[in-house]
Amino acid sequence: MQPFEYSGANGPSRVIFGQGSVSKLPDEVKRLGKSAPLLLSTPQQKEQVQALDGVLKNGSITPVGLYSNATMHTPTHITDEALQYAKDCNADCVISFGGGSTIGLGKAISIRTGLQHICIPTTYAGSKQPTRHCICMPLMILGDMTPILGETADGKKTTRSDPKILPTTTIYDVDFTMTLPESMSATSGVNAIAHAVEALYARNTNPVINLLSLDGTKALAESLPIIVNSLQDVEARSRAQYGAWLCGMVLGAVGMSLHHKLCHTLGGSFNLPHAETHTIVLPHAIAYNAPNIPETMRKLAEVLPESDGDAIKGLNVLLTKLKVKRGLKEFGMKEEDVDKAAEIAVSNPYWNPRDIEKEPLRETIRRCWAGEEARADL
């Protein structure tokens, strides 16, 4: 894809898209008037994030430290620890490098302190709409680059939305995506698709959101199968990155429904991996809602390869091509947890185009647990 720059018409968001664009990171830090960034990562990405040290120093910016304990689902006790570390380092901004775990931590720090947040996402799911205090550079993510923050405390995950969570600049550099493994490329990409799909039938959706959602879904659905079979395909990686950005833009613009409620319930309450959970739940949540969203199902089928006019079939085919795990039991969820998950999900439901009924919902969760193919028969 051709490089481009984009400045949001309705907010301070800025996107820099193109191969090698990470070199512009120091200039973006200076543009924000900052000079003492704290780097954030997970323990697994501690060595990778240190590559940014040289990029920043080449632009006369010296990081004041590295906090490398970012954790899935953004536990509040980790946020408290990172806040103290940022204070001790006298950081004037934070740079999060990674997927949802790291970006979530950066957002949590930013909303609590007002520190500028510079994001460098490394999965497709996190390649989302920049939030006001964030500069993002995806490798390929599922890290929620939106005005939405999900946090976990006492075994329950809650979310909140605030324009102050939005990043200022997102830098999309395809070079950072080339080492993303097959499975993470696939699940983080489907995680991004999930945001777009729910936006199609959101209560406050609109024609512009529909255009972004469908184009983002199409770009990812076409590029992800290429990537899992050819990890070094630069054009496919660029298309996926572009699709992830579009999908992220819609997540912050409209409300979400059953799919996200289920994923927050399952992830926060049973400590299930974020992108993998979204991947498993997506076709089942769509199948649950299918009777009430015929126009969405028609539009979705048109952008999913090999759907034959059936969006649920299209999603099932896509997940088969991506060779992803299909059952929550493969990630440690027990069968007896199905009832508990259903109770939590119906206790405080999101708006949804179909009424949330406990028994059909329980069966939906059971199918997710068992790894069955989705079907619209509830």
Side-chain angles (χ1 to χ4, degrees):
M1 292 188 66
Q2 293 295 315
F4 65 85
E5 294 188 12
Y6 166 84
S7 295
N10 297 315
S13 59
R14 169 173 157 80
V15 169
I16 301 174
F17 188 104
Q19 192 168 17
S21 54
V22 67
S23 63
K24 299 181 180 180
L25 176 60
D27 290 338
E28 290 298 315
V29 176
K30 293 174 185 176
R31 192 178 67 84
L32 295 175
K34 304 303 174 183
S35 60
L38 170 65
L39 301 178
L40 306 174
S41 78
T42 61
Q44 295 80 9
Q45 291 182 303
K46 185 175 181 179
E47 291 185 8
Q48 290 175 281
V49 74
Q50 289 173 343
L52 294 181
D53 192 80
V55 173
L56 289 165
K57 286 180 177 177
N58 284 340
S60 302
I61 299 290
T62 301
V64 294
L66 167 63
Y67 180 85
S68 59
N69 200 29
T71 303
M72 185 171 62
H73 304 304
T74 320
T76 54
H77 72 277
I78 293 293
T79 299
D80 291 340
E81 184 178 275
L83 283 167
Q84 186 59 53
Y85 189 84
K87 182 179 179 181
D88 293 343
C89 290
N90 294 315
D92 64 6
C93 63
V94 292
I95 299 177
S96 59
F97 178 93
S101 299
T102 310
I103 295 170
L105 176 60
K107 290 159 70 173
I109 293 172
S110 178
I111 193 63
R112 285 167 169 78
T113 64
L115 289 178
Q116 303 279 21
H117 174 197
I118 302 174
C119 309
I120 304 175
T122 59
T123 62
Y124 294 127
S127 316
K128 310 256 190 331
Q129 169 69 11
T131 64
R132 183 180 152 193
H133 298 305
C134 188
I135 299 177
C136 321
M137 261 178 334
L139 304 179
M140 287 187 169
I141 41 185
L142 202 286
D144 281 348
M145 304 295 303
T146 66
I148 300 171
L149 171 62
E151 299 179 284
T152 303
D154 300 323
K156 289 190 177 182
K157 189 170 186 176
T158 58
T159 60
R160 57 171 159 162
S161 180
D162 190 318
K164 294 179 181 179
I165 299 173
L166 273 175
T168 304
T169 303
T170 307
I171 302 176
Y172 292 92
D173 189 335
V174 71
D175 289 341
F176 280 91
T177 70
M178 305 311 294
T179 58
L180 192 70
E182 173 186 323
S183 60
M184 191 177 296
S185 297
T187 56
S188 65
V190 177
N191 188 175
I193 289 174
H195 303 323
V197 170
E198 284 228 301
L200 288 171
Y201 57 78
R203 179 165 47 179
N204 57 339
T205 193
N206 60 63
V208 174
I209 291 299
N210 274 244
L211 288 171
L212 296 174
S213 298
L214 291 170
D215 200 26
T217 297
K218 180 179 174 64
L220 283 161
E222 291 176 349
S223 61
L224 291 175
I226 297 173
I227 290 169
V228 297
N229 289 300
S230 181
L231 291 174
Q232 298 304 306
D233 191 308
V234 175
E235 180 59 24
R237 292 285 196 183
S238 295
R239 283 281 291 164
Q241 213 170 36
Y242 168 74
W245 169 51
L246 294 181
C247 292
M249 289 181 73
V250 305
L251 175 61
V254 296
M256 295 288 109
S257 303
L258 176 64
H259 170 85
H260 282 76
K261 177 63 176 181
L262 285 179
C263 290
H264 290 157
T265 296
L266 294 165
S269 299
F270 305 102
N271 200 36
L272 298 174
H274 184 84
E276 290 84 350
T277 300
H278 276 267
T279 297
I280 290 168
V281 169
L282 177 59
H284 295 282
I286 295 301
Y288 181 97
N289 282 328
N292 292 61
I293 52 171
E295 184 63 14
T296 293
M297 300 300 286
R298 182 188 66 78
K299 291 178 180 178
L300 187 57
E302 290 177 353
V303 298
L304 291 172
E306 300 181 51
S307 70
D308 297 328
D310 181 346
I312 298 172
K313 177 185 176 182
L315 288 170
N316 282 328
V317 168
L318 176 61
L319 297 193
T320 297
K321 283 186 172 184
L322 297 182
K323 298 174 280 190
V324 295
K325 294 179 179 179
R326 302 291 293 273
L328 295 174
K329 63 182 180 181
E330 298 183 69
F331 296 99
M333 184 178 179
K334 299 180 175 63
E335 187 171 10
E336 54 265 32
D337 292 333
V338 171
D339 286 321
K340 181 180 177 182
E343 289 284 353
I344 296 172
V346 301
S347 64
N348 184 27
Y350 295 7
W351 177 88
N352 195 61
R354 176 182 172 182
D355 288 343
I356 303 298
E357 305 170 61
K358 185 176 179 181
E359 286 310 311
L361 183 61
R362 184 199 180 281
E363 174 59 13
T364 297
I365 296 172
R366 188 202 64 78
R367 292 176 184 181
C368 294
W369 169 82
E372 299 174 7
E373 285 212 335
R375 56 188 190 276
D377 60 355
L378 292 174

